């Protein structure tokens, strides 16, 4: 696995993140007949909250993005994508593990939605997410916090 770092996002990251999201999501959206060149970028722009978002960097360059937005009953894992050439090398698991350690310490539920048929669903299932509901396009999943041993 390549070395990576998480850094806080800023509004200056929106355009690069939108482009990377379009590249990362294109195969799944095309498979579902839902790829729209403008919409795939605009959805990120409309919901991008730098205060709850991190940029994943490899060698000082943006390699992905992830957000963990607090909500009333859970944290929402959103905008989690990696450059296509980084898929399948363990980086997604490593990033997800780091974020879930935070939510476990806080005792928080984590919710997300993933595109139906996406390989990302297997990643989420390996990390304890279970299906709550699904429709023709999306699968909504939840993860209960893991028990953290209390140290004396």
């Amino acid at each position: 696995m390549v070395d990576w770092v998480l850094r806080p996002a800023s509004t200056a990251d929106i355009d690069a993140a939108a482009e990377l999201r379009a590249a990362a999501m294109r195969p799944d959206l095309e498979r579902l007949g839902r790829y729209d060149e403008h919409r795939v970028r605009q959805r990120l722009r409309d919901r991008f909250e730098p205060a709850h978002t991190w940029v994943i960097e490899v060698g000082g360059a943006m390699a992905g993005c992830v957000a963990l937005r607090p909500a009333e009953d859970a944290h929402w894992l959103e905008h989690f994508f990696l450059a296509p050439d980084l898929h399948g090398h363990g980086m997604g698991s490593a990033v997800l593990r780091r974020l879930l350690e935070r939510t476990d310490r806080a005792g928080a539920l984590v919710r997300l939605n993933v595109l139906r048929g996406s390989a990302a669903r297997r990643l989420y299932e390996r990390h304890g997410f279970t299906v709550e509901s699904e429709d023709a396009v999306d699968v909504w999943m939840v993860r209960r916090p893991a028990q953290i041993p209390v140290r004396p």
Side-chain angles (χ1 to χ4, degrees):
M1 182 174 59
V2 298
D3 290 332
W4 56 274
V5 297
L6 281 180
R7 70 159 173 81
S10 74
T11 55
D13 294 313
I14 292 173
D15 290 336
E19 290 304 314
L20 190 54
R21 180 181 192 270
M25 294 190 67
R26 186 174 190 144
D28 281 333
L29 289 169
E30 284 181 340
R31 177 181 47 75
L32 292 167
R34 309 276 298 184
Y35 186 77
D36 177 298
E37 192 79 27
H38 173 73
R39 186 170 183 224
V40 70
R41 290 166 175 84
Q42 195 60 46
R43 283 188 62 133
L44 180 123
R45 288 183 178 108
D46 290 345
R47 299 183 66 205
F48 190 80
E49 295 182 39
H52 304 297
T53 306
W54 294 270
V55 170
I56 304 160
E57 290 186 340
V58 172
M62 182 184 285
C65 189
V66 63
L68 194 59
R69 181 179 52 82
E72 188 174 310
D73 69 334
H75 282 74
W76 279 89
L77 184 70
E78 301 172 320
H79 310 307
F80 188 17
F81 50 85
L82 293 171
D85 62 325
L86 296 172
H87 293 181
H89 299 287
M91 185 184 299
S93 283
V95 171
L96 186 55
R97 203 169 22 256
R98 184 176 297 172
L99 292 175
L100 293 176
E101 287 170 359
R102 293 177 187 187
T103 59
D104 285 346
R105 282 192 303 272
L109 285 176
V110 180
R111 296 183 187 282
L112 61 82
N113 75 297
V114 62
L115 291 171
R116 191 178 192 102
S118 172
R121 178 176 171 172
R122 290 188 305 278
L123 167 72
Y124 298 133
E125 288 171 339
R126 285 194 309 270
H127 289 274
F129 285 85
T130 58
V131 174
E132 280 193 304
S133 65
E134 53 188 295
D135 63 23
V137 176
D138 292 302
V139 178
W140 284 269
M141 304 181 82
V142 65
R143 180 182 179 275
R144 305 210 179 298
Q147 296 296 318
I148 305 293
V150 177
R151 295 186 180 160

